[in-house]
Amino acid sequence: MSSKAPITADYLKLPCSVIVHPSIPNCFAFYRKMVVKVFFGAVRIYTPLFLLAAAFSKRRLDLNIILRVIPSIVRSSIFLVIQGNGYGMLLCTSRNLIGYHPPQAFMLCSFLAAFAAVSVEKKSRRIELAIYVLNQFLETVFRMGVSRGYWKPFKHGLTLVFALSMSILVYFYRHEDSCLGNMRGLMRAFLGVEGKKDWIEKKIQLYTEKIIDKKYTSSEREERATEKWGFFDIFLGFTKSFIIGFFLKQLLQLIRAAMKPTKLFSLLRENQIPSLKFGIALGLMGGGIKAIVILLRKIRGKDDGFNSAIAGFLAAFSISLFKSTDIIMYFAAKAVATLYYGLANRNLAPVLPFGESFAYALTTMVCIYCQCYEPHNLRPSYRQFMHKATASGTCHFDEVGPKLCQAAGIPLPDPKLFDMMKE
């Protein structure tokens, strides 16, 4: 079929060897090959991730830890094999049964494959996966709405999403931290614990005291600073958050550079300004939250959830200095999950059996559907991850997807609509 020929509904009736797996016409031969490719590709993806996580959590990495991590790597690789190949096999089956490729078939096959795949993982891992895909799902659904003309992106929309997310997270961290799950550790590292200082804050305070005020004892300096001015709390919040942000960005760039040794020095050199911007953004947010809480506490004469929510909302606008879709949508997904747990604790939201598996399957259904049918509505970085996760088995959908949309009567958006959502 010529690329210039008009796309009609007959395009949906093409065999699966054209739509799903054009590289190898035979279904069985294609998936037999893909199972091996996807499994070893998944091992390459998950091995460094699990080893790094183990090293950070245990603060060491020896043979015993590596041996304990291997089952998790194998389990997650099998999970990716089932998901990456399962939905394709189901697509081929549905095409042979109904004779064409409707959007509903892609959604149903994706849901079933995702539900079966995530069932292999442990419950704690299923929750992590559900929250991870949730941030992709939220942006993808928004893009789908933009494509169909239901709404339009607006300037500083991502900043507003981040501000609302931080408002929710700061409120729950200061008043109901049990709802935060594994986000509690990150918030504690970022905002600290009121009335207590961790080792970073103690070091910063020690060196600051030596510089700014030598005529008072340590206890007198702390009393003057925290009880009268709140200076140290604000200063420590900024400095600690800046240090965490700067070195975290450096660490991530170092990991990226390690995969491209020939570009190590150029990548590290180019990363200095972004690291400073990220550190300053987090510093202003960490110090700003503490400053606004102290100010509202003095103005209102009490410390409640209103103070926390307003402080998180206003201080979060500092992210304008370093906009990152990945970071913003990750926090948005965490905020949605935290809000759900908070409502569930109040019996205002249902707690479903296998709820995390259902949530993962539902959100992944939309993402995989878009990967195949509407690739223009998927975040570019996630689309590239999907290509890697399926050993390039879905690359052809970048070209096939728009044709499927035209054949099914789904509108294709003007690329300029997404200018305000660029990563």
XYZ file of all heavy atoms in Angstrom, residues 323-397:
594
model
N 11.925 22.673 35.217
C 10.747 21.891 34.861
C 11.162 20.540 34.296
O 11.990 20.460 33.398
C 9.889 22.636 33.844
C 9.044 23.736 34.453
C 8.089 24.312 33.431
C 7.218 25.390 34.053
N 6.282 25.968 33.073
N 10.581 19.494 34.840
C 10.819 18.140 34.354
C 9.495 17.396 34.392
O 8.916 17.209 35.461
C 11.862 17.421 35.210
O 11.881 16.036 34.912
N 9.015 16.986 33.221
C 7.746 16.263 33.162
C 7.808 14.989 33.983
O 6.852 14.628 34.685
C 7.391 15.927 31.701
O 7.357 17.129 30.932
C 6.037 15.253 31.609
N 8.944 14.280 33.913
C 9.084 13.026 34.659
C 8.910 13.252 36.166
O 8.178 12.516 36.842
C 10.452 12.382 34.391
C 10.549 11.825 32.984
O 9.532 11.338 32.482
O 11.639 11.880 32.408
N 9.602 14.264 36.705
C 9.536 14.543 38.135
C 8.136 15.003 38.541
O 7.555 14.521 39.523
C 10.578 15.606 38.527
C 11.996 15.042 38.359
C 10.369 16.083 39.963
C 13.088 16.057 38.578
N 7.570 15.920 37.771
C 6.265 16.485 38.115
C 5.184 15.412 38.089
O 4.368 15.307 39.016
C 5.919 17.640 37.154
C 6.843 18.835 37.434
C 4.455 18.050 37.303
C 6.716 19.963 36.432
N 5.170 14.580 37.058
C 4.124 13.558 36.953
C 4.342 12.439 37.975
O 3.383 11.809 38.421
C 4.079 12.992 35.533
C 3.688 14.016 34.472
S 2.204 14.981 34.875
C 0.960 13.701 35.001
N 5.596 12.198 38.351
C 5.853 11.206 39.409
C 5.228 11.679 40.719
O 4.550 10.910 41.414
C 7.359 10.993 39.575
C 7.719 10.090 40.728
C 7.632 8.714 40.607
C 8.145 10.619 41.946
C 7.954 7.872 41.677
C 8.472 9.791 43.015
C 8.378 8.421 42.867
O 8.687 7.608 43.920
N 5.452 12.941 41.073
C 4.870 13.471 42.306
C 3.350 13.539 42.208
O 2.654 13.339 43.211
C 5.450 14.855 42.610
C 6.746 14.823 43.368
C 7.937 14.600 42.711
C 6.776 15.003 44.736
C 9.140 14.545 43.392
C 7.963 14.962 45.445
C 9.160 14.724 44.765
N 2.824 13.818 41.015
C 1.372 13.852 40.843
C 0.772 12.472 41.097
O -0.270 12.341 41.769
C 1.021 14.331 39.428
N 1.421 11.427 40.580
C 0.930 10.062 40.801
C 0.991 9.702 42.280
O 0.059 9.080 42.822
C 1.757 9.077 39.973
N 2.085 10.077 42.946
C 2.210 9.812 44.381
C 1.126 10.555 45.167
O 0.582 10.027 46.148
C 3.588 10.233 44.879
C 4.722 9.334 44.427
C 4.659 7.989 45.126
C 5.877 7.147 44.864
N 5.821 5.831 45.535
N 0.810 11.784 44.745
C -0.226 12.551 45.431
C -1.593 11.898 45.265
O -2.380 11.828 46.223
C -0.256 13.984 44.892
N -1.899 11.412 44.059
C -3.178 10.733 43.822
C -3.274 9.474 44.677
O -4.312 9.210 45.306
C -3.336 10.385 42.324
C -4.538 9.480 42.107
C -3.480 11.650 41.499
N -2.190 8.685 44.721
C -2.193 7.460 45.531
C -2.345 7.782 47.014
O -3.096 7.113 47.737
C -0.901 6.680 45.285
N -1.648 8.814 47.486
C -1.736 9.211 48.896
C -3.138 9.675 49.239
O -3.683 9.335 50.304
C -0.721 10.331 49.190
O 0.608 9.868 48.896
C -0.795 10.772 50.638
N -3.732 10.459 48.349
C -5.095 10.945 48.574
C -6.072 9.775 48.645
O -6.991 9.762 49.479
C -5.489 11.905 47.459
C -6.818 12.653 47.624
C -6.810 13.500 48.898
C -7.088 13.533 46.409
N -5.872 8.774 47.785
C -6.748 7.597 47.815
C -6.630 6.865 49.154
O -7.644 6.501 49.770
C -6.389 6.653 46.668
C -7.043 5.290 46.806
C -8.380 5.110 46.506
C -6.310 4.194 47.275
C -8.990 3.876 46.662
C -6.908 2.954 47.435
C -8.245 2.799 47.120
O -8.838 1.576 47.278
N -5.388 6.651 49.623
C -5.203 5.971 50.906
C -5.803 6.781 52.049
O -6.357 6.217 53.007
C -3.718 5.722 51.164
C -3.112 4.679 50.262
C -1.899 4.906 49.605
C -3.737 3.457 50.068
C -1.341 3.945 48.777
C -3.194 2.496 49.243
C -1.992 2.752 48.589
O -1.459 1.797 47.768
N -5.694 8.117 51.958
C -6.289 8.958 52.985
C -7.806 8.831 53.013
O -8.416 8.749 54.087
N -8.425 8.791 51.838
C -9.879 8.617 51.760
C -10.290 7.222 52.223
O -11.316 7.056 52.880
C -10.346 8.862 50.320
C -10.214 10.304 49.803
C -10.571 10.366 48.327
C -11.102 11.258 50.594
N -9.471 6.222 51.869
C -9.774 4.850 52.288
C -9.720 4.724 53.805
O -10.543 4.013 54.411
C -8.798 3.879 51.631
N -8.765 5.412 54.443
C -8.674 5.372 55.911
C -9.907 5.986 56.574
O -10.242 5.649 57.707
C -7.422 6.107 56.378
C -6.158 5.299 56.137
O -6.224 4.101 55.851
N -5.010 5.948 56.232
N -10.564 6.905 55.845
C -11.782 7.539 56.371
C -13.048 6.828 55.886
O -14.154 7.344 56.059
C -11.826 9.006 55.927
C -10.742 9.879 56.546
C -10.737 11.261 55.897
N -9.866 12.192 56.571
C -8.559 12.263 56.422
N -7.954 11.403 55.606
N -7.842 13.148 57.074
N -12.871 5.676 55.234
C -13.989 4.896 54.689
C -14.768 5.666 53.629
O -15.973 5.448 53.442
C -14.948 4.455 55.814
C -14.279 3.511 56.802
O -13.515 2.632 56.414
N -14.576 3.697 58.081
N -14.067 6.571 52.935
C -14.695 7.338 51.861
C -14.343 6.791 50.481
O -14.858 7.284 49.475
C -14.264 8.814 51.952
C -14.676 9.550 53.230
C -14.090 10.952 53.255
C -16.204 9.609 53.331
N -13.469 5.807 50.433
C -13.098 5.153 49.170
C -13.014 3.652 49.421
O -12.569 3.226 50.498
C -11.765 5.690 48.654
N -13.435 2.840 48.467
C -13.428 1.385 48.677
C -12.026 0.803 48.606
O -11.163 1.311 47.878
C -14.288 0.869 47.521
C -14.104 1.894 46.437
C -13.972 3.210 47.140
N -11.784 -0.237 49.369
C -10.529 -0.989 49.295
C -10.843 -2.306 48.599
O -11.504 -3.179 49.167
C -9.933 -1.236 50.692
C -8.641 -2.037 50.582
C -9.693 0.086 51.415
N -10.399 -2.454 47.364
C -10.757 -3.602 46.545
C -9.715 -4.709 46.666
O -8.510 -4.421 46.720
C -10.883 -3.194 45.072
C -11.889 -2.082 44.756
C -11.781 -1.690 43.290
C -13.298 -2.524 45.092
N -10.138 -5.969 46.704
C -9.159 -7.070 46.630
C -8.472 -7.039 45.271
O -9.119 -6.815 44.243
C -10.025 -8.328 46.802
C -11.411 -7.899 46.432
C -11.529 -6.452 46.799
N -7.177 -7.236 45.262
C -6.373 -7.140 44.044
C -6.510 -5.761 43.394
O -6.404 -5.620 42.180
C -6.757 -8.228 43.033
C -6.638 -9.620 43.565
C -7.760 -10.330 43.945
C -5.394 -10.205 43.713
C -7.652 -11.619 44.454
C -5.271 -11.485 44.216
C -6.399 -12.201 44.587
N -6.770 -4.747 44.232
C -6.959 -3.400 43.705
C -5.735 -2.871 42.986
O -5.847 -2.218 41.942
N -4.533 -3.179 43.540
C -3.309 -2.678 42.892
C -3.096 -3.341 41.529
O -2.634 -2.703 40.580
C -2.087 -2.887 43.798
C -1.645 -4.326 44.007
C -2.509 -5.120 44.931
O -3.308 -4.509 45.673
O -2.395 -6.365 44.928
N -3.467 -4.622 41.407
C -3.341 -5.311 40.107
C -4.325 -4.734 39.102
O -3.982 -4.521 37.930
C -3.586 -6.813 40.270
O -2.635 -7.390 41.137
N -5.555 -4.481 39.558
C -6.563 -3.901 38.673
C -6.148 -2.500 38.232
O -6.287 -2.138 37.059
C -7.917 -3.858 39.386
C -9.022 -3.285 38.546
C -9.680 -4.059 37.606
C -9.398 -1.951 38.700
C -10.694 -3.517 36.828
C -10.411 -1.406 37.924
C -11.066 -2.194 36.983
N -5.639 -1.694 39.184
C -5.204 -0.329 38.853
C -4.060 -0.360 37.849
O -4.032 0.430 36.891
C -4.788 0.407 40.128
N -3.108 -1.272 38.074
C -1.990 -1.373 37.134
C -2.488 -1.779 35.748
O -2.071 -1.205 34.734
C -0.963 -2.387 37.622
C 0.142 -2.633 36.624
C 1.209 -1.751 36.525
C 0.102 -3.718 35.752
C 2.210 -1.942 35.590
C 1.097 -3.917 34.813
C 2.142 -3.024 34.732
O 3.129 -3.217 33.802
N -3.364 -2.793 35.691
C -3.859 -3.272 34.401
C -4.641 -2.188 33.671
O -4.506 -2.021 32.446
C -4.728 -4.513 34.601
N -5.435 -1.409 34.406
C -6.247 -0.363 33.791
C -5.376 0.751 33.223
O -5.585 1.205 32.089
C -7.221 0.204 34.826
C -8.237 1.220 34.318
C -9.195 0.572 33.333
C -9.011 1.830 35.477
N -4.394 1.202 34.012
C -3.530 2.288 33.546
C -2.605 1.820 32.420
O -2.362 2.548 31.453
C -2.697 2.852 34.703
O -2.020 1.774 35.375
C -3.571 3.561 35.711
N -2.102 0.596 32.542
C -1.222 0.055 31.496
C -1.998 -0.185 30.210
O -1.446 -0.031 29.107
C -0.581 -1.264 31.969
O 0.138 -1.020 33.180
C 0.389 -1.809 30.933
N -3.256 -0.557 30.323
C -4.099 -0.749 29.150
C -4.093 0.504 28.264
O -3.914 0.425 27.044
C -5.531 -1.060 29.584
C -6.543 -1.127 28.457
S -8.238 -1.228 29.080
C -8.496 0.503 29.575
N -4.267 1.665 28.902
C -4.298 2.916 28.143
C -2.942 3.204 27.513
O -2.849 3.613 26.347
C -4.735 4.078 29.058
C -4.641 5.411 28.328
C -6.158 3.852 29.557
N -1.858 2.967 28.277
C -0.513 3.260 27.768
C -0.130 2.348 26.603
O 0.419 2.810 25.599
C 0.508 3.152 28.898
S 0.341 4.404 30.187
N -0.423 1.044 26.730
C -0.073 0.120 25.644
C -0.950 0.375 24.423
O -0.482 0.319 23.274
C -0.202 -1.344 26.111
C 0.847 -1.643 27.175
C -0.043 -2.304 24.947
C 0.830 -3.074 27.683
N -2.222 0.668 24.668
C -3.105 1.016 23.545
C -2.533 2.202 22.774
O -2.468 2.195 21.536
C -4.508 1.337 24.051
C -5.297 2.198 23.101
C -5.851 1.662 21.935
C -5.464 3.559 23.339
C -6.540 2.460 21.041
C -6.147 4.364 22.462
C -6.693 3.814 21.309
O -7.366 4.610 20.425
N -2.112 3.244 23.516
C -1.544 4.430 22.850
C -0.218 4.112 22.171
O 0.090 4.685 21.130
C -1.361 5.568 23.860
S -2.882 6.474 24.176
N 0.562 3.217 22.744
C 1.820 2.824 22.115
C 1.571 2.271 20.716
O 2.363 2.510 19.799
C 2.514 1.771 22.975
C 3.758 1.150 22.370
C 4.927 2.103 22.325
O 4.910 3.144 22.972
N 5.951 1.761 21.565
N 0.461 1.555 20.549
C 0.168 0.913 19.267
C -0.732 1.759 18.377
O -0.482 1.869 17.173
C -0.500 -0.444 19.510
S 0.479 -1.573 20.505
N -1.759 2.354 18.956
C -2.788 3.030 18.167
C -2.570 4.542 18.083
O -2.806 5.156 17.054
C -4.164 2.759 18.784
C -5.176 2.199 17.815
C -5.340 0.831 17.668
C -5.992 3.025 17.046
C -6.273 0.298 16.796
C -6.933 2.506 16.170
C -7.066 1.140 16.049
O -7.990 0.621 15.174
N -2.150 5.151 19.185
C -1.976 6.609 19.228
C -0.615 6.966 19.818
O -0.532 7.575 20.888
C -3.098 7.252 20.054
C -4.499 6.948 19.576
C -5.579 7.619 20.407
O -5.371 8.776 20.821
O -6.623 6.987 20.651
N 0.483 6.583 19.160
C 1.815 6.837 19.738
C 2.116 8.316 19.950
O 2.937 8.663 20.800
C 2.767 6.206 18.710
C 1.980 6.124 17.443
C 0.563 5.914 17.858
N 1.445 9.189 19.225
C 1.661 10.633 19.378
C 1.158 11.139 20.725
O 1.539 12.233 21.158
C 0.946 11.390 18.246
C -0.466 10.959 18.037
N -0.797 9.886 17.249
C -1.641 11.424 18.532
C -2.112 9.719 17.245
N -2.644 10.628 18.029
N 0.298 10.364 21.390
C -0.242 10.777 22.693
C 0.540 10.204 23.868
O 0.153 10.411 25.017
C -1.710 10.351 22.812
C -2.625 11.224 21.977
O -2.354 12.405 21.793
N -3.689 10.650 21.458
N 1.617 9.492 23.597
C 2.439 8.919 24.653
C 3.682 9.778 24.851
O 4.255 10.280 23.875
C 2.849 7.490 24.281
C 3.177 6.514 25.416
C 1.973 6.324 26.330
C 3.599 5.168 24.842
N 4.079 9.969 26.099
C 5.281 10.766 26.359
C 6.466 10.166 25.615
O 6.705 8.957 25.688
C 5.581 10.799 27.856
C 6.680 11.786 28.247
C 7.102 11.623 29.683
N 5.987 11.690 30.605
C 6.094 11.422 31.905
N 7.263 11.042 32.404
N 5.043 11.495 32.698
N 7.242 10.969 24.870
C 8.342 10.422 24.053
C 9.313 9.546 24.830
O 9.718 8.486 24.349
C 9.034 11.687 23.517
C 7.942 12.704 23.477
C 7.060 12.410 24.649
N 9.683 9.947 26.054
C 10.643 9.148 26.823
C 10.052 7.796 27.200
O 10.756 6.785 27.209
C 11.071 9.904 28.090
O 9.953 10.165 28.923
N 8.748 7.750 27.490
C 8.115 6.473 27.835
C 7.957 5.607 26.595
O 8.056 4.380 26.669
C 6.751 6.723 28.483
C 6.123 5.467 29.057
C 6.707 4.805 30.123
C 4.945 4.940 28.529
C 6.149 3.653 30.665
C 4.371 3.787 29.056
C 4.981 3.157 30.118
O 4.415 2.016 30.633
N 7.720 6.241 25.453
C 7.628 5.477 24.205
C 8.959 4.802 23.905
O 8.995 3.642 23.474
C 7.210 6.404 23.063
C 6.821 5.649 21.795
C 6.045 6.526 20.839
N 6.863 7.534 20.212
C 6.629 8.835 20.266
N 5.590 9.292 20.937
N 7.413 9.696 19.655
N 10.053 5.515 24.143
C 11.370 4.911 23.930
C 11.613 3.761 24.905
O 12.201 2.736 24.547
C 12.464 5.975 24.094
C 12.458 7.047 23.013
C 12.638 6.463 21.625
O 13.452 5.569 21.408
N 11.855 6.957 20.676
N 11.148 3.916 26.154
C 11.276 2.827 27.127
C 10.495 1.606 26.666
O 10.953 0.468 26.804
C 10.783 3.280 28.503
C 10.630 2.148 29.485
C 11.739 1.587 30.092
C 9.375 1.627 29.779
C 11.617 0.530 30.993
C 9.234 0.573 30.672
C 10.359 0.022 31.271
N 9.310 1.824 26.128
C 8.493 0.709 25.642
C 9.195 -0.012 24.495
O 9.135 -1.239 24.389
C 7.126 1.213 25.188
C 6.273 1.786 26.305
S 5.492 0.522 27.307
C 4.059 0.148 26.305
N 9.872 0.745 23.637
C 10.633 0.115 22.552
C 11.723 -0.793 23.122
O 11.931 -1.915 22.660
C 11.272 1.184 21.653
C 10.278 1.967 20.844
N 9.045 1.471 20.504
C 10.347 3.214 20.300
C 8.389 2.371 19.780
N 9.159 3.435 19.664
N 12.424 -0.288 24.154
C 13.483 -1.087 24.764
C 12.916 -2.315 25.482
O 13.476 -3.403 25.404
C 14.276 -0.231 25.766
C 15.179 0.808 25.124
C 15.958 1.557 26.188
C 16.884 2.598 25.569
N 17.651 3.335 26.602
N 11.810 -2.102 26.188
C 11.219 -3.188 26.963
C 10.712 -4.322 26.079
O 10.646 -5.473 26.507
C 10.084 -2.665 27.831
N 10.345 -3.993 24.845
C 9.851 -5.025 23.919
C 10.905 -5.381 22.875
O 10.568 -5.965 21.844
C 8.577 -4.542 23.208
O 8.838 -3.307 22.529
C 7.445 -4.327 24.204
N 12.181 -5.036 23.156
C 13.290 -5.347 22.244
C 12.999 -4.832 20.845
O 13.190 -5.525 19.838
C 13.551 -6.851 22.219
N 12.494 -3.583 20.763
C 12.169 -2.909 19.494
C 11.014 -3.570 18.753
O 10.790 -3.287 17.580
C 13.403 -2.833 18.578
O 14.446 -2.133 19.202
N 10.270 -4.422 19.449
C 9.146 -5.092 18.796
C 7.959 -4.189 18.536
O 7.031 -4.575 17.823
N 7.953 -2.973 19.104
C 6.833 -2.053 18.893
C 7.241 -0.809 18.108
O 6.425 0.099 17.942
C 6.253 -1.600 20.247
O 7.290 -0.987 21.033
C 5.678 -2.773 21.023
N 8.472 -0.756 17.616
C 8.939 0.445 16.905
C 8.084 0.759 15.681
O 7.842 1.923 15.353
C 10.403 0.279 16.487
S 11.573 0.363 17.861
N 7.632 -0.277 14.978
C 6.876 -0.052 13.740
C 5.540 0.625 14.001
O 4.946 1.209 13.085
C 6.652 -1.378 13.006
C 5.771 -2.336 13.724
N 6.194 -3.072 14.812
C 4.459 -2.656 13.543
C 5.200 -3.816 15.249
N 4.137 -3.586 14.507
N 5.058 0.589 15.254
C 3.779 1.236 15.545
C 3.879 2.760 15.481
O 2.854 3.433 15.373
C 3.259 0.807 16.920
C 2.586 -0.530 16.917
C 3.140 -1.611 17.575
C 1.383 -0.715 16.243
C 2.522 -2.849 17.574
C 0.753 -1.948 16.235
C 1.324 -3.026 16.900
